[in-house]
Amino acid sequence: MSTFILPIGPQHPALKEPASFRVKVDGEVVVDADLRLGYNHRGIEKGAEARTYVQNMYLMERICGICSNAHLTAFVQGVERLLGIEPPPRGLFIRCLMGELERVHSHLLWLGVAGHELGFDTFFQYTWRDREVVMDLLEMISGNRVHYAMETFGGVRRDLSKDQISKILEGLAILKTRTEYYANLGTAEPTMVARIAGVGKLPKDVAIATSAVGPTARGSGVAIDVRLDDPYAGFGELIPFNIVVDEGCDVLARVVVRVKELLESYRICEFIVRNLPEGDIRVKAPRKVPAGEVVSRVEAQRGEDIHYIRSNGTDKPERVKVRAPTLANWPSALYMLKGCYVADIPIIVAANDPCMSCTDRMVVLSDTNGSETTWDWKTLRQYGIDFYRKKGIRF
Amino acid sequence: MNAEEAKATLESDLGQKIRELVTPAPRRMFVTVEGADLVEACRVIHDRLKITHLSTITGLDTGERFEVLYHFATHNLALTLRALVSRDNPILHTAVDVFPSAVLYEREVHDILGVYYEGHPDLRPLVLPDGWPEGVYPLRKDWTYDRQQGVIA
């Protein structure tokens, strides 16, 4: 039978972000895959050259909704190195806590998406319900569910109170119990294992050759993690951390890596809030940045996030280069697609956790419930609860 | 591999081809070579330093020339190889043969800075839209953008 080219994307129900694949299929088997990117290209690097460093903090945070804190941390710590300032220990601990809580929410979100792509929508609903626990913690700490705006040059913006620390510990205990349940479910439930074991094979040598990053690389036995290789935000000396590696080289291994990383993140968060040093959370930073260049790396949820910043002595950068982890994992995704079944394409692409935007939560309704046109979160939530109670559903 | 060992190996293998070698911070190293020596330097980094991870490639316009920066990473060292490229004749030879992961990053540099890569397997546009005019490179400093102001009728 002759081959046939199947266009998938840029807008497609199986993809959550605009990326276009041209997949050459022979019956049900993928022979070759090609990629076209750029549907979300917003010219942020060019835009950064026209803005001051302070304005760029806001711009960098908005590169992505899910890894906003990772991008901001990479940018902020790069500029801090150019300025020659170092945040106080308490600031570093809170910065690290934000990074790990963001990893927790992102990995839980990914577990749900993976469940959905596998047709296991109960799993999706469960993980996303539990993800609300960490979203509430993030909101309590920063005031926002996305775009926390916690980092600033010289430290962080908000401190943690005793009350908040006890709430974080309570939340972590719930999450830990739930994640252990998912660890058991994801690796022992026969239908789930049968669906993902051996799918999307990425041998270790290919992962190295394509410079894969994050859980994709670590699921193929490549022990790279910026938190270990290039410690930042208190990692290394102040905060202990264990790398998670799995030799499975398939989608199952990537699930295992992410679930174990969740458990590791809970340990890190618990260590941080139990050993939080006293003192200031930030030092004052000058507006003008001396001329120089810096490479700043952060382990985002999806892998290594690298920023290159060149300064020219003014209050605006000469060049800001951003490479988000998703781009680094596309060559390995294309490798994985070759030889797979068409039905496996969504989960293989999703297994790299390609970046997608988060939604805002402000809801505006036009006169469906009396005179109120704008509902706040509390009203909406209560409405939802009452709606399902009336139907006799208990939760 | 620590920074001192890497420095000694690079200096013995590349010798006079190194224009500059600095270590401005712990775990950071910047090596500058001419564009013509890029692939040879990549080969030394891959074969002798055993660095296999290419993080990304940055293209940058200083106004007088282009700099193309290859960011490599290994445990405890982030090495940046800077290739100097003339602005009048921006041509480099591809490093895809040494680092297969360079393929998308070099396409991006070609796309937005207009550095042509000899021997590159595929230089189709990667991030710029279809129908973007040829020979217009947005990341060059002389390219400025002016957007028409929106008018509310």
Side-chain angles (χ1 to χ4, degrees), chain A residues 34 36-37 46 49 81 210-211 213 229-231 293 295 297 304 310 318-319 321 323 328, chain B residues 27-28 53-55 58-59 67 75-76 82 101 124 126 128 130 138-141 143:
Chain A
D34 186 25
R36 174 84 166 90
L37 297 173
K46 187 80 178 175
E49 292 172 10
R81 275 178 210 156
T210 52
S211 293
V213 296
D229 296 333
D230 194 2
E293 60 183 343
V295 173
R297 297 163 75 213
E304 174 202 35
R310 160 88 59 105
E318 177 85 10
R319 173 88 168 93
K321 161 78 186 178
R323 199 274 284 135
Chain B
R27 305 193 296 269
R28 291 288 180 277
H53 184 77
L54 172 66
S55 291
T58 302
E67 292 179 6
H75 185 63
N76 272 340
R82 186 197 322 268
S101 47
R124 286 171 304 157
L126 181 71
L128 292 180
D130 298 331
L139 223 54
R140 291 189 180 181
K141 287 286 180 192
W143 187 86

mmCIF file of all heavy atoms in Angstrom, chain A residues 34 36-37 46 49 81 210-211 213 229-231 293 295 297 304 310 318-319 321 323 328, chain B residues 27-28 53-55 58-59 67 75-76 82 101 124 126 128 130 138-141 143:
data_model
loop_
_atom_site.group_PDB
_atom_site.id
_atom_site.type_symbol
_atom_site.label_atom_id
_atom_site.label_comp_id
_atom_site.label_asym_id
_atom_site.label_seq_id
_atom_site.Cartn_x
_atom_site.Cartn_y
_atom_site.Cartn_z
ATOM 1 N N ASP A 34 6.847 15.305 10.243
ATOM 2 C CA ASP A 34 7.469 16.606 10.045
ATOM 3 C C ASP A 34 6.717 17.628 10.888
ATOM 4 O O ASP A 34 5.552 17.443 11.223
ATOM 5 C CB ASP A 34 7.432 16.982 8.563
ATOM 6 C CG ASP A 34 8.191 18.264 8.297
ATOM 7 O OD1 ASP A 34 9.097 18.582 9.091
ATOM 8 O OD2 ASP A 34 7.879 18.941 7.309
ATOM 9 N N ARG A 36 5.897 21.838 11.942
ATOM 10 C CA ARG A 36 5.937 23.273 11.635
ATOM 11 C C ARG A 36 5.511 24.008 12.892
ATOM 12 O O ARG A 36 4.423 23.763 13.427
ATOM 13 C CB ARG A 36 4.985 23.573 10.467
ATOM 14 C CG ARG A 36 4.843 25.047 10.151
ATOM 15 C CD ARG A 36 5.969 25.507 9.239
ATOM 16 N NE ARG A 36 5.686 26.817 8.664
ATOM 17 C CZ ARG A 36 6.041 27.972 9.231
ATOM 18 N NH1 ARG A 36 6.665 27.984 10.375
ATOM 19 N NH2 ARG A 36 5.765 29.112 8.630
ATOM 20 N N LEU A 37 6.383 24.901 13.369
ATOM 21 C CA LEU A 37 6.088 25.646 14.593
ATOM 22 C C LEU A 37 5.785 27.101 14.265
ATOM 23 O O LEU A 37 5.711 27.487 13.107
ATOM 24 C CB LEU A 37 7.284 25.579 15.545
ATOM 25 C CG LEU A 37 7.674 24.210 16.061
ATOM 26 C CD1 LEU A 37 8.972 24.297 16.834
ATOM 27 C CD2 LEU A 37 6.591 23.633 16.925
ATOM 28 N N LYS A 46 12.458 40.095 20.594
ATOM 29 C CA LYS A 46 12.603 41.444 20.040
ATOM 30 C C LYS A 46 11.945 42.459 20.970
ATOM 31 O O LYS A 46 12.487 43.541 21.208
ATOM 32 C CB LYS A 46 11.965 41.502 18.644
ATOM 33 C CG LYS A 46 12.204 42.801 17.902
ATOM 34 C CD LYS A 46 13.573 42.843 17.275
ATOM 35 C CE LYS A 46 13.778 44.136 16.487
ATOM 36 N NZ LYS A 46 15.150 44.234 15.972
ATOM 37 N N GLU A 49 13.988 43.722 23.937
ATOM 38 C CA GLU A 49 15.055 44.698 23.713
ATOM 39 C C GLU A 49 14.541 46.129 23.861
ATOM 40 O O GLU A 49 15.322 47.047 24.049
ATOM 41 C CB GLU A 49 15.653 44.505 22.312
ATOM 42 C CG GLU A 49 16.402 43.191 22.190
ATOM 43 C CD GLU A 49 16.835 42.893 20.760
ATOM 44 O OE1 GLU A 49 16.719 43.789 19.904
ATOM 45 O OE2 GLU A 49 17.282 41.769 20.520
ATOM 46 N N ARG A 81 22.881 38.111 38.632
ATOM 47 C CA ARG A 81 24.316 37.835 38.458
ATOM 48 C C ARG A 81 24.996 39.003 37.772
ATOM 49 O O ARG A 81 26.137 39.342 38.108
ATOM 50 C CB ARG A 81 24.514 36.551 37.653
ATOM 51 C CG ARG A 81 24.459 35.335 38.546
ATOM 52 C CD ARG A 81 24.600 34.054 37.741
ATOM 53 N NE ARG A 81 23.865 32.994 38.423
ATOM 54 C CZ ARG A 81 23.389 31.917 37.823
ATOM 55 N NH1 ARG A 81 23.581 31.732 36.535
ATOM 56 N NH2 ARG A 81 22.746 31.004 38.506
ATOM 57 N N THR A 210 19.656 13.846 20.623
ATOM 58 C CA THR A 210 18.708 14.916 20.325
ATOM 59 C C THR A 210 18.666 15.951 21.441
ATOM 60 O O THR A 210 17.831 16.846 21.415
ATOM 61 C CB THR A 210 17.287 14.351 20.118
ATOM 62 O OG1 THR A 210 16.969 13.535 21.243
ATOM 63 C CG2 THR A 210 17.171 13.534 18.867
ATOM 64 N N SER A 211 19.548 15.827 22.430
ATOM 65 C CA SER A 211 19.603 16.760 23.571
ATOM 66 C C SER A 211 18.241 16.928 24.222
ATOM 67 O O SER A 211 17.789 18.045 24.470
ATOM 68 C CB SER A 211 20.162 18.126 23.145
ATOM 69 O OG SER A 211 21.504 18.009 22.795
ATOM 70 N N VAL A 213 15.498 16.974 27.203
ATOM 71 C CA VAL A 213 15.624 17.537 28.543
ATOM 72 C C VAL A 213 14.456 17.067 29.407
ATOM 73 O O VAL A 213 13.461 16.540 28.911
ATOM 74 C CB VAL A 213 15.646 19.085 28.524
ATOM 75 C CG1 VAL A 213 16.863 19.603 27.802
ATOM 76 C CG2 VAL A 213 14.374 19.641 27.900
ATOM 77 N N ASP A 229 22.941 19.684 38.196
ATOM 78 C CA ASP A 229 24.108 20.028 37.383
ATOM 79 C C ASP A 229 24.575 21.461 37.601
ATOM 80 O O ASP A 229 25.751 21.769 37.458
ATOM 81 C CB ASP A 229 23.775 19.843 35.888
ATOM 82 C CG ASP A 229 23.470 18.402 35.551
ATOM 83 O OD1 ASP A 229 23.982 17.525 36.269
ATOM 84 O OD2 ASP A 229 22.735 18.158 34.585
ATOM 85 N N ASP A 230 23.616 22.356 37.855
ATOM 86 C CA ASP A 230 23.941 23.778 37.922
ATOM 87 C C ASP A 230 23.062 24.395 39.003
ATOM 88 O O ASP A 230 22.145 25.167 38.713
ATOM 89 C CB ASP A 230 23.647 24.402 36.540
ATOM 90 C CG ASP A 230 24.273 25.775 36.401
ATOM 91 O OD1 ASP A 230 24.943 26.207 37.353
ATOM 92 O OD2 ASP A 230 24.078 26.397 35.345
ATOM 93 N N PRO A 231 23.314 24.059 40.294
ATOM 94 C CA PRO A 231 22.363 24.388 41.363
ATOM 95 C C PRO A 231 22.050 25.884 41.434
ATOM 96 O O PRO A 231 22.916 26.723 41.223
ATOM 97 C CB PRO A 231 23.080 23.940 42.632
ATOM 98 C CG PRO A 231 24.115 22.983 42.182
ATOM 99 C CD PRO A 231 24.521 23.401 40.817
ATOM 100 N N GLU A 293 27.373 39.710 30.075
ATOM 101 C CA GLU A 293 26.512 38.676 29.524
ATOM 102 C C GLU A 293 26.428 37.536 30.517
ATOM 103 O O GLU A 293 27.356 37.322 31.301
ATOM 104 C CB GLU A 293 27.031 38.189 28.163
ATOM 105 C CG GLU A 293 28.414 37.595 28.205
ATOM 106 C CD GLU A 293 28.925 37.203 26.832
ATOM 107 O OE1 GLU A 293 28.112 37.086 25.915
ATOM 108 O OE2 GLU A 293 30.131 37.006 26.707
ATOM 109 N N VAL A 295 24.555 33.444 31.249
ATOM 110 C CA VAL A 295 23.723 32.295 30.893
ATOM 111 C C VAL A 295 23.059 31.827 32.174
ATOM 112 O O VAL A 295 23.734 31.529 33.146
ATOM 113 C CB VAL A 295 24.562 31.154 30.281
ATOM 114 C CG1 VAL A 295 23.707 29.919 30.080
ATOM 115 C CG2 VAL A 295 25.183 31.587 28.979
ATOM 116 N N ARG A 297 20.236 29.219 33.939
ATOM 117 C CA ARG A 297 19.490 27.981 33.688
ATOM 118 C C ARG A 297 18.633 27.627 34.885
ATOM 119 O O ARG A 297 19.038 27.813 36.034
ATOM 120 C CB ARG A 297 20.458 26.829 33.407
ATOM 121 C CG ARG A 297 21.290 27.033 32.174
ATOM 122 C CD ARG A 297 22.475 26.100 32.167
ATOM 123 N NE ARG A 297 22.115 24.741 31.860
ATOM 124 C CZ ARG A 297 22.736 23.685 32.380
ATOM 125 N NH1 ARG A 297 23.709 23.825 33.226
ATOM 126 N NH2 ARG A 297 22.351 22.466 32.046
ATOM 127 N N GLU A 304 15.090 21.648 31.143
ATOM 128 C CA GLU A 304 15.985 22.789 31.269
ATOM 129 C C GLU A 304 15.432 24.014 30.536
ATOM 130 O O GLU A 304 15.112 23.953 29.360
ATOM 131 C CB GLU A 304 17.344 22.394 30.652
ATOM 132 C CG GLU A 304 18.346 23.504 30.571
ATOM 133 C CD GLU A 304 19.407 23.224 29.515
ATOM 134 O OE1 GLU A 304 19.093 22.621 28.474
ATOM 135 O OE2 GLU A 304 20.549 23.610 29.747
ATOM 136 N N ARG A 310 22.286 39.636 27.463
ATOM 137 C CA ARG A 310 23.430 40.516 27.215
ATOM 138 C C ARG A 310 22.995 41.923 27.591
ATOM 139 O O ARG A 310 21.961 42.400 27.129
ATOM 140 C CB ARG A 310 23.809 40.433 25.724
ATOM 141 C CG ARG A 310 24.638 41.581 25.191
ATOM 142 C CD ARG A 310 26.121 41.377 25.345
ATOM 143 N NE ARG A 310 26.620 40.197 24.674
ATOM 144 C CZ ARG A 310 27.320 40.242 23.533
ATOM 145 N NH1 ARG A 310 27.567 41.372 22.933
ATOM 146 N NH2 ARG A 310 27.774 39.122 23.008
ATOM 147 N N GLU A 318 20.401 44.354 25.879
ATOM 148 C CA GLU A 318 20.807 44.355 24.473
ATOM 149 C C GLU A 318 20.173 43.162 23.758
ATOM 150 O O GLU A 318 19.761 43.261 22.607
ATOM 151 C CB GLU A 318 22.340 44.274 24.416
ATOM 152 C CG GLU A 318 22.942 44.204 23.031
ATOM 153 C CD GLU A 318 23.133 45.570 22.413
ATOM 154 O OE1 GLU A 318 22.978 46.570 23.130
ATOM 155 O OE2 GLU A 318 23.430 45.625 21.210
ATOM 156 N N ARG A 319 20.105 42.040 24.450
ATOM 157 C CA ARG A 319 19.562 40.828 23.839
ATOM 158 C C ARG A 319 19.107 39.910 24.959
ATOM 159 O O ARG A 319 19.818 39.717 25.936
ATOM 160 C CB ARG A 319 20.643 40.136 23.006
ATOM 161 C CG ARG A 319 20.270 38.780 22.438
ATOM 162 C CD ARG A 319 19.583 38.926 21.093
ATOM 163 N NE ARG A 319 19.466 37.635 20.414
ATOM 164 C CZ ARG A 319 18.396 36.842 20.519
ATOM 165 N NH1 ARG A 319 17.386 37.168 21.283
ATOM 166 N NH2 ARG A 319 18.342 35.711 19.833
ATOM 167 N N LYS A 321 17.701 36.002 25.100
ATOM 168 C CA LYS A 321 17.358 34.788 24.369
ATOM 169 C C LYS A 321 16.701 33.822 25.341
ATOM 170 O O LYS A 321 17.190 33.622 26.449
ATOM 171 C CB LYS A 321 18.624 34.172 23.769
ATOM 172 C CG LYS A 321 18.513 32.728 23.371
ATOM 173 C CD LYS A 321 17.797 32.543 22.068
ATOM 174 C CE LYS A 321 17.597 31.060 21.792
ATOM 175 N NZ LYS A 321 16.863 30.823 20.567
ATOM 176 N N ARG A 323 15.092 29.912 25.640
ATOM 177 C CA ARG A 323 14.767 28.621 25.044
ATOM 178 C C ARG A 323 13.983 27.834 26.073
ATOM 179 O O ARG A 323 14.519 27.412 27.083
ATOM 180 C CB ARG A 323 16.034 27.873 24.599
ATOM 181 C CG ARG A 323 15.755 26.786 23.594
ATOM 182 C CD ARG A 323 15.377 25.451 24.206
ATOM 183 N NE ARG A 323 16.534 24.774 24.725
ATOM 184 C CZ ARG A 323 16.552 24.182 25.909
ATOM 185 N NH1 ARG A 323 15.498 24.176 26.679
ATOM 186 N NH2 ARG A 323 17.645 23.592 26.335
ATOM 187 N N ALA A 328 13.301 21.996 22.946
ATOM 188 C CA ALA A 328 14.382 21.022 23.023
ATOM 189 C C ALA A 328 13.873 19.601 22.870
ATOM 190 O O ALA A 328 14.627 18.706 22.494
ATOM 191 C CB ALA A 328 15.114 21.173 24.349
ATOM 192 N N ARG B 27 31.233 27.631 37.151
ATOM 193 C CA ARG B 27 30.467 26.768 36.236
ATOM 194 C C ARG B 27 30.103 27.469 34.927
ATOM 195 O O ARG B 27 29.217 27.033 34.214
ATOM 196 C CB ARG B 27 29.188 26.238 36.901
ATOM 197 C CG ARG B 27 29.414 25.500 38.208
ATOM 198 C CD ARG B 27 28.172 24.749 38.615
ATOM 199 N NE ARG B 27 27.076 25.651 38.899
ATOM 200 C CZ ARG B 27 26.817 26.149 40.105
ATOM 201 N NH1 ARG B 27 27.555 25.802 41.136
ATOM 202 N NH2 ARG B 27 25.810 26.974 40.285
ATOM 203 N N ARG B 28 30.753 28.563 34.589
ATOM 204 C CA ARG B 28 30.452 29.257 33.337
ATOM 205 C C ARG B 28 31.746 29.459 32.548
ATOM 206 O O ARG B 28 32.775 29.819 33.124
ATOM 207 C CB ARG B 28 29.845 30.634 33.592
ATOM 208 C CG ARG B 28 28.463 30.616 34.178
ATOM 209 C CD ARG B 28 27.435 30.174 33.151
ATOM 210 N NE ARG B 28 26.091 30.152 33.705
ATOM 211 C CZ ARG B 28 25.584 29.143 34.411
ATOM 212 N NH1 ARG B 28 26.289 28.058 34.650
ATOM 213 N NH2 ARG B 28 24.353 29.205 34.889
ATOM 214 N N HIS B 53 25.396 17.546 25.368
ATOM 215 C CA HIS B 53 24.133 18.284 25.456
ATOM 216 C C HIS B 53 24.288 19.699 24.906
ATOM 217 O O HIS B 53 25.033 20.507 25.466
ATOM 218 C CB HIS B 53 23.652 18.328 26.900
ATOM 219 C CG HIS B 53 22.317 18.976 27.058
ATOM 220 N ND1 HIS B 53 21.147 18.325 26.750
ATOM 221 C CD2 HIS B 53 21.961 20.211 27.446
ATOM 222 C CE1 HIS B 53 20.130 19.139 26.963
ATOM 223 N NE2 HIS B 53 20.603 20.295 27.380
ATOM 224 N N LEU B 54 23.594 19.971 23.805
ATOM 225 C CA LEU B 54 23.530 21.328 23.263
ATOM 226 C C LEU B 54 22.228 21.948 23.754
ATOM 227 O O LEU B 54 21.141 21.508 23.374
ATOM 228 C CB LEU B 54 23.578 21.291 21.730
ATOM 229 C CG LEU B 54 23.342 22.612 21.014
ATOM 230 C CD1 LEU B 54 24.467 23.590 21.303
ATOM 231 C CD2 LEU B 54 23.229 22.402 19.517
ATOM 232 N N SER B 55 22.335 22.969 24.605
ATOM 233 C CA SER B 55 21.116 23.549 25.190
ATOM 234 C C SER B 55 20.347 24.356 24.168
ATOM 235 O O SER B 55 19.154 24.175 23.984
ATOM 236 C CB SER B 55 21.454 24.450 26.371
ATOM 237 O OG SER B 55 21.926 23.701 27.440
ATOM 238 N N THR B 58 22.060 30.879 20.319
ATOM 239 C CA THR B 58 21.595 32.265 20.323
ATOM 240 C C THR B 58 22.224 32.992 19.139
ATOM 241 O O THR B 58 23.433 32.914 18.942
ATOM 242 C CB THR B 58 22.027 32.979 21.616
ATOM 243 O OG1 THR B 58 21.514 32.276 22.729
ATOM 244 C CG2 THR B 58 21.534 34.409 21.651
ATOM 245 N N GLY B 59 21.422 33.698 18.375
ATOM 246 C CA GLY B 59 21.950 34.587 17.351
ATOM 247 C C GLY B 59 21.824 36.007 17.837
ATOM 248 O O GLY B 59 20.835 36.370 18.458
ATOM 249 N N GLU B 67 27.042 37.557 16.200
ATOM 250 C CA GLU B 67 27.635 36.526 17.046
ATOM 251 C C GLU B 67 26.612 35.400 17.144
ATOM 252 O O GLU B 67 25.433 35.652 17.388
ATOM 253 C CB GLU B 67 27.927 37.073 18.442
ATOM 254 C CG GLU B 67 29.020 38.115 18.452
ATOM 255 C CD GLU B 67 29.283 38.661 19.848
ATOM 256 O OE1 GLU B 67 28.693 38.149 20.811
ATOM 257 O OE2 GLU B 67 30.085 39.598 19.946
ATOM 258 N N HIS B 75 27.573 18.291 33.450
ATOM 259 C CA HIS B 75 27.508 18.412 34.894
ATOM 260 C C HIS B 75 28.530 19.450 35.381
ATOM 261 O O HIS B 75 29.719 19.334 35.110
ATOM 262 C CB HIS B 75 27.774 17.052 35.542
ATOM 263 C CG HIS B 75 27.605 17.074 37.021
ATOM 264 N ND1 HIS B 75 26.400 17.345 37.632
ATOM 265 C CD2 HIS B 75 28.489 16.904 38.017
ATOM 266 C CE1 HIS B 75 26.553 17.327 38.931
ATOM 267 N NE2 HIS B 75 27.802 17.060 39.196
ATOM 268 N N ASN B 76 28.053 20.461 36.076
ATOM 269 C CA ASN B 76 28.894 21.514 36.664
ATOM 270 C C ASN B 76 29.571 22.439 35.673
ATOM 271 O O ASN B 76 30.505 23.151 36.040
ATOM 272 C CB ASN B 76 29.962 20.914 37.589
ATOM 273 C CG ASN B 76 29.431 20.762 38.997
ATOM 274 O OD1 ASN B 76 28.462 21.418 39.356
ATOM 275 N ND2 ASN B 76 30.047 19.909 39.766
ATOM 276 N N ARG B 82 31.271 30.935 21.131
ATOM 277 C CA ARG B 82 30.832 32.101 20.380
ATOM 278 C C ARG B 82 31.528 32.106 19.023
ATOM 279 O O ARG B 82 32.755 32.117 18.947
ATOM 280 C CB ARG B 82 31.196 33.365 21.159
ATOM 281 C CG ARG B 82 30.662 34.665 20.566
ATOM 282 C CD ARG B 82 31.378 35.879 21.128
ATOM 283 N NE ARG B 82 31.690 35.765 22.541
ATOM 284 C CZ ARG B 82 30.894 36.206 23.520
ATOM 285 N NH1 ARG B 82 29.786 36.803 23.247
ATOM 286 N NH2 ARG B 82 31.270 36.067 24.782
ATOM 287 N N SER B 101 21.162 17.676 17.511
ATOM 288 C CA SER B 101 20.129 18.510 18.124
ATOM 289 C C SER B 101 20.192 19.956 17.658
ATOM 290 O O SER B 101 19.300 20.742 17.967
ATOM 291 C CB SER B 101 20.265 18.465 19.648
ATOM 292 O OG SER B 101 21.610 18.649 20.015
ATOM 293 N N ARG B 124 13.952 25.408 5.908
ATOM 294 C CA ARG B 124 12.636 26.033 5.755
ATOM 295 C C ARG B 124 12.358 26.912 6.978
ATOM 296 O O ARG B 124 12.922 26.675 8.048
ATOM 297 C CB ARG B 124 11.550 24.956 5.671
ATOM 298 C CG ARG B 124 11.512 24.206 4.353
ATOM 299 C CD ARG B 124 10.567 23.034 4.469
ATOM 300 N NE ARG B 124 10.944 22.167 5.578
ATOM 301 C CZ ARG B 124 10.101 21.344 6.198
ATOM 302 N NH1 ARG B 124 8.847 21.274 5.841
ATOM 303 N NH2 ARG B 124 10.525 20.580 7.188
ATOM 304 N N LEU B 126 10.997 28.251 10.359
ATOM 305 C CA LEU B 126 10.544 27.489 11.522
ATOM 306 C C LEU B 126 9.546 28.290 12.347
ATOM 307 O O LEU B 126 8.463 27.815 12.649
ATOM 308 C CB LEU B 126 11.732 27.094 12.394
ATOM 309 C CG LEU B 126 11.383 26.270 13.624
ATOM 310 C CD1 LEU B 126 10.973 24.874 13.249
ATOM 311 C CD2 LEU B 126 12.547 26.213 14.601
ATOM 312 N N LEU B 128 8.837 31.931 11.786
ATOM 313 C CA LEU B 128 8.169 33.047 11.120
ATOM 314 C C LEU B 128 7.010 32.530 10.270
ATOM 315 O O LEU B 128 7.042 31.412 9.779
ATOM 316 C CB LEU B 128 9.165 33.823 10.259
ATOM 317 C CG LEU B 128 10.237 34.572 11.063
ATOM 318 C CD1 LEU B 128 11.167 35.317 10.135
ATOM 319 C CD2 LEU B 128 9.617 35.537 12.050
ATOM 320 N N ASP B 130 4.184 31.843 7.259
ATOM 321 C CA ASP B 130 4.207 31.690 5.811
ATOM 322 C C ASP B 130 3.931 33.057 5.209
ATOM 323 O O ASP B 130 3.122 33.825 5.719
ATOM 324 C CB ASP B 130 3.107 30.721 5.354
ATOM 325 C CG ASP B 130 3.313 29.333 5.924
ATOM 326 O OD1 ASP B 130 4.474 28.967 6.176
ATOM 327 O OD2 ASP B 130 2.312 28.615 6.131
ATOM 328 N N PRO B 138 13.953 39.765 11.472
ATOM 329 C CA PRO B 138 13.470 40.650 12.536
ATOM 330 C C PRO B 138 14.442 40.872 13.687
ATOM 331 O O PRO B 138 14.309 41.872 14.382
ATOM 332 C CB PRO B 138 12.203 39.950 13.029
ATOM 333 C CG PRO B 138 12.306 38.557 12.558
ATOM 334 C CD PRO B 138 13.111 38.578 11.319
ATOM 335 N N LEU B 139 15.388 39.963 13.900
ATOM 336 C CA LEU B 139 16.244 40.146 15.068
ATOM 337 C C LEU B 139 17.470 41.008 14.770
ATOM 338 O O LEU B 139 18.272 41.260 15.653
ATOM 339 C CB LEU B 139 16.659 38.797 15.652
ATOM 340 C CG LEU B 139 16.592 38.753 17.175
ATOM 341 C CD1 LEU B 139 15.221 39.156 17.691
ATOM 342 C CD2 LEU B 139 16.930 37.379 17.687
ATOM 343 N N ARG B 140 17.625 41.451 13.519
ATOM 344 C CA ARG B 140 18.711 42.387 13.232
ATOM 345 C C ARG B 140 18.365 43.740 13.823
ATOM 346 O O ARG B 140 17.203 44.143 13.838
ATOM 347 C CB ARG B 140 18.919 42.496 11.721
ATOM 348 C CG ARG B 140 19.477 41.220 11.142
ATOM 349 C CD ARG B 140 19.884 41.414 9.705
ATOM 350 N NE ARG B 140 20.420 40.169 9.172
ATOM 351 C CZ ARG B 140 20.882 40.035 7.943
ATOM 352 N NH1 ARG B 140 20.864 41.066 7.118
ATOM 353 N NH2 ARG B 140 21.371 38.882 7.541
ATOM 354 N N LYS B 141 19.406 44.443 14.272
ATOM 355 C CA LYS B 141 19.156 45.700 14.983
ATOM 356 C C LYS B 141 18.568 46.765 14.065
ATOM 357 O O LYS B 141 17.896 47.679 14.527
ATOM 358 C CB LYS B 141 20.448 46.216 15.611
ATOM 359 C CG LYS B 141 20.889 45.417 16.812
ATOM 360 C CD LYS B 141 20.048 45.696 18.030
ATOM 361 C CE LYS B 141 20.537 44.868 19.214
ATOM 362 N NZ LYS B 141 19.602 44.878 20.323
ATOM 363 N N TRP B 143 16.332 46.305 11.874
ATOM 364 C CA TRP B 143 14.916 46.027 11.600
ATOM 365 C C TRP B 143 14.088 46.569 12.744
ATOM 366 O O TRP B 143 14.286 46.192 13.898
ATOM 367 C CB TRP B 143 14.676 44.530 11.453
ATOM 368 C CG TRP B 143 13.269 44.197 11.004
ATOM 369 C CD1 TRP B 143 12.821 44.153 9.731
ATOM 370 C CD2 TRP B 143 12.143 43.882 11.835
ATOM 371 N NE1 TRP B 143 11.488 43.830 9.703
ATOM 372 C CE2 TRP B 143 11.049 43.667 10.979
ATOM 373 C CE3 TRP B 143 11.943 43.773 13.207
ATOM 374 C CZ2 TRP B 143 9.783 43.333 11.448
ATOM 375 C CZ3 TRP B 143 10.675 43.449 13.676
ATOM 376 C CH2 TRP B 143 9.610 43.222 12.796
#
